Amino acid sequence: MPYTPLTKSAPRGVGSYDVLGYAVSKEEADKLLQSERGREALSADNGAVKITEELIDLGRNTFYQETFGNEYLFTDIVGILDGPINLGSISKAVLALKGKPTTNLQIPIDQDITVGSRTFKAGTVINTGLDVPKGSLFPLGVITHIKNAKPRVGITCVLCHATVSEETGRILEGAINTDINLGPLIAIASNSAALFRQTDVNPTKISPGQHGYINNEGEKAYLPDAKILEDEVDAAILSWAPGNFVSNGDLKNNSAQIPSSYTHGSWPYAWSGVASIGWFHGLTTLNNAVFGINADPTTTVDASESVLGIDKQVYLGAMLQNASNPKFRLPEGVQPSEFLERVDPTPGEPGINSTIRMPEYPKGSLFMQNGLMATTPGLPVAAQLNGMSAWQNTLAPPPHKSADIETLEHGAAVFAQANCAQCHSDRYFTNHKVIPVKEIGTQPARAPASRSFAQLFVPPDTYPSNVPVPLPQSPPVLLVTFNPQYPHVWFCFCNCFEVVPSYDLLFRSDQ
Ligand code: HEC
Ligand code: HEC
C-alpha cells in the first residue's frame, strides 16, 4: 500500500532491544553483547526482544492485515453483512469512485430499515467514514476471507488508526480515522446484541423471551427477549459519534475518541495507565487489548460473573441466540457454553479469536488484562504484538502545513505561559505520568471502567518471546516486573483505581 511519507519519522530503533519494558539502545546493546552476562541479559529467555527490520515489517503487516479471527465474530455472530451495507453495496460504492480516493465511502440503502428506534428510508445515504485509498478496490481495514465459498469480513487496526490524504489519495499511517462511523455500521447488523457488553444494556435486566436454554444448574430457563435486546443495543450503538468507539466492556455506553498511533516516546499508553508495564512500555499490552479483549466478548466469558455479575450462560446465550450464521446460532434447549465449544473455530482455547492462555487465566493481570494473548499459530509468543509496537514507534505525524512562523512562535509563548509544559514536556509533549482524575479534572465517567477487572488482577507474567505457538507443555514463564525507572506509572494506576494497596510489593524487582 502506498502511504504518504512523513516529515521526520521517529527513529526505527533497529539493533536496539526491549527487555520487557526496559529500553536498551543499540550502543548499550553492542557493549552488553560483548560479555556472557550481557548476552544473557539480552536473550529472549530473559524477556528481550531485538528490534529488527523483519520485526517492524511483521508489525506493519499485522496492523494492516491481521484480524486474529474476528471475522467469525463480526460476520457469523454479529451479522455485519446482513443489512444494507454488505459486500455488494460496498463494492458498488467503491467502483463508483472510479479509482478516486475517499475518506468517507457513501453507501445508499435500497430499502426502508428500522434500527433501534430510528428508521432509515430507502435512498438514505450512509456516511460510513470508511476510507478508500486511490486506486484501491476495498476500504482500508476491512478484510475479506473466503472459506468454503462463504465470504466473511473482519477488521484490522487501519480501520481506525489510519486515514487517506484527500490531496494525494495515499495512506496516512497512524493518523486518526476521525469520521469512521461505527454506529450505523454495527447497529445495522442483524445481531448487534452480541456486542451488548460495549453498551449500557444489561441482558439480565431484560424480561425473558421465548428462547429456552440450559443454565449452570442444568435446569431449563429463558434468555432475555431477543428483539428487545437487539433494539436497545442498536439504539445505544447508534449514539456513538463518528471517530468514536466503546473500548471498555463494562456495560457503560462511554465511547472514546480514537487516538493517533504516533507512539514513539509517548508512553504511558491509554488514559488510565492500564497499559504501562511489559514490552515497549506497555504498548504491546494495549495492542493485545484491542483484539484479545475488545473485539471479542467471548474472551471474557469466564470472568463475566465476577466482573459484570452476568451468569456465563446468559452472557453467551444473549450473544448467540440470534447469531447470523445458523451454525453459530444457539439451538433451543442447549447450554450456551457447551454449544460454543462445539462451534468455536479455535476449540480448546477461550474465545473465538485466536488467543493463547496466559498462566493465570481466567484471572487477568496488568500485562494481559483478561489473561489471554492474541496470537497466530506458527508465530512465536507476542511476535505480532511486539512487531506492531516496534512499527507504531516508527510513525510520526505528517508535515505541518503552516509556514507562518509568527503564529507558531505566538503559540509556543502561550503554551509556556499557561504552564502546559508542566505535563506536556519535551519532544513528545508528555512527562510520562498518569495524572489522577482528581488533579486533571477531566470527565471521570470512564475511571471505574477498568476497576472491576483490575481488582481481580494477579501478578503479571508472560512466556518469553521465543516460545512457539501453539504452546508446548509447561512453557517457561517470566515475571513481568514493574519498571523501577518509572515508578509513578504503577503508583498512579493504584491511586486512580484503588487497586489492592499492597500490590506494589509484588512488583518490586530484585534485578
Ligand atoms: C474500531 C476502531 C479501532 C480499531 C479497529 C483499533 N483501535 Fe486502537 N483505539 C481505538 C480507540 C477508540 C482507542 C482509545 C481507547 C480508550 O481510550 O479506551 C484506541 C487506542 C489505541 C491505542 C492507545 C494509543 C495511546 O496513545 O494511548 C493503541 C496503541 C491502539 N489503539 C492500537 C491498536 C491496534 C494495534 C489495533 C489493531 C490490532 C487497533 N488499535 C485497532 C479504536 C480502534
Ligand atoms: C496537569 C497536567 C496537564 C496540564 C498542565 C495540561 N495538560 Fe493537556 N493533557 C493532560 C493529560 C493527562 C491529557 C490526556 C488526557 C487523557 O488521555 O485522558 C492531556 C491531553 C491534552 C490534549 C489532547 C492530546 C491528544 O493526543 O488527544 C491536548 C491538545 C492538550 N492536553 C493540550 C494542553 C494545553 C494547550 C495545555 C496548557 C494550556 C495543557 N494541555 C495543560 C495533562 C495536562
Side-chain angles (χ1 to χ4, degrees), residues 293-500:
I293 308 180
N294 297 341
D296 180 3
T298 63
T299 57
T300 37
V301 152
D302 289 330
S304 64
E305 178 80 59
S306 50
V307 174
L308 301 175
I310 303 178
D311 173 273
K312 173 177 176 167
Q313 306 303 345
V314 174
Y315 184 101
L316 277 180
M319 285 186 69
L320 299 174
Q321 63 175 330
N322 191 30
S324 164
N325 180 350
K327 188 186 155 196
F328 286 81
R329 198 175 305 147
L330 184 74
E332 179 63 31
V334 170
Q335 187 160 69
S337 61
E338 273 177 27
F339 170 71
L340 180 63
E341 191 54 36
R342 264 186 278 145
V343 298
D344 184 0
T346 60
E349 291 300 339
I352 293 165
N353 281 4
S354 177
T355 59
I356 52 171
R357 283 167 215 247
M358 302 310 280
E360 68 273 11
Y361 183 83
K363 293 236 159 89
S365 79
L366 195 54
F367 179 59
M368 292 287 132
Q369 294 153 28
N370 60 351
L372 296 171
M373 183 188 270
T375 51
T376 300
L379 287 166
V381 167
Q384 289 166 300
L385 299 177
N386 281 330
M388 288 195 286
S389 298
W391 177 71
Q392 287 172 95
N393 278 342
T394 68
L395 301 176
H400 192 281
K401 296 238 180 61
S402 166
D404 178 358
I405 298 297
E406 225 172 88
T407 306
L408 295 182
E409 279 177 356
H410 180 60
V414 174
F415 200 79
Q417 202 183 6
N419 238 345
C420 309
Q422 175 200 332
C423 299
H424 299 289
S425 49
D426 296 333
R427 168 80 175 79
Y428 299 103
F429 293 99
T430 173
N431 56 6
H432 304 300
K433 288 187 184 163
V434 176
I435 318 270
V437 163
K438 275 191 203 121
E439 196 181 320
I440 189 80
T442 44
Q443 217 262 34
R446 297 181 73 224
S450 314
R451 187 188 266 152
S452 45
F453 254 120
Q455 276 164 346
L456 300 172
F457 281 172
V458 296
D461 49 18
T462 185
Y463 314 108
S465 61
N466 55 355
V467 169
V469 174
L471 295 173
Q473 289 272 307
S474 0
V477 172
L478 291 171
L479 189 67
V480 181
T481 53
F482 118 90
N483 190 334
Q485 281 171 295
Y486 317 114
H488 41 261
V489 171
W490 175 247
F491 175 77
C492 279
F493 186 77
C494 291
N495 264 353
C496 296
F497 298 117
E498 297 153 32
V499 190
V500 196

Side-chain angles (χ1 to χ4, degrees), residues 63 68 155-157 159-161 182 244-245 247-248 256-260 263 266 268-271 283 286-287 290-291 388 392 446:
F63 205 79
F68 294 106
I155 62 167
T156 69
C157 315
L159 180 76
C160 299
H161 293 292
L182 295 158
N244 281 253
F245 173 68
S247 68
N248 297 99
Q257 198 176 28
I258 303 164
S260 75
T263 53
S266 69
Y269 305 104
W271 52 279
L283 187 50
L286 215 138
N287 296 342
V290 182
F291 291 157
M388 288 195 286
Q392 287 172 95
R446 297 181 73 224

Side-chain angles (χ1 to χ4, degrees), residues 136-217:
S136 177
L137 290 175
F138 224 67
L140 205 50
V142 180
I143 300 286
T144 321
H145 288 268
I146 298 176
K147 200 171 164 192
N148 303 332
K150 178 172 170 55
R152 295 187 161 90
V153 299
I155 62 167
T156 69
C157 315
V158 286
L159 180 76
C160 299
H161 293 292
T163 188
V164 163
S165 157
E166 278 182 327
E167 279 160 45
T168 63
R170 299 173 71 129
I171 299 167
L172 291 167
E173 303 196 301
I176 305 166
N177 186 341
T178 49
D179 62 356
I180 181 77
N181 206 357
L182 295 158
L185 282 172
I186 299 176
I188 269 175
S190 58
N191 185 34
S192 328
L195 300 177
F196 72 82
R197 208 195 58 184
Q198 254 118 311
T199 69
D200 51 4
V201 181
N202 186 335
T204 63
K205 304 268 158 67
I206 288 177
S207 47
Q210 306 294 320
H211 200 120
Y213 75 106
I214 303 298
N215 68 17
N216 281 324
E217 285 70 47

Side-chain angles (χ1 to χ4, degrees), residues 80-81 83-97 105-108 128 130-132 136-140 142-144 153 185:
I80 203 95
L81 298 178
I85 298 175
N86 50 47
L87 287 178
S89 61
I90 293 176
S91 305
K92 210 167 143 193
V94 173
L95 285 177
L97 294 171
L105 187 68
Q106 295 187 309
I107 303 184
T128 66
L130 290 166
D131 287 27
V132 183
S136 177
L137 290 175
F138 224 67
L140 205 50
V142 180
I143 300 286
T144 321
V153 299
L185 282 172

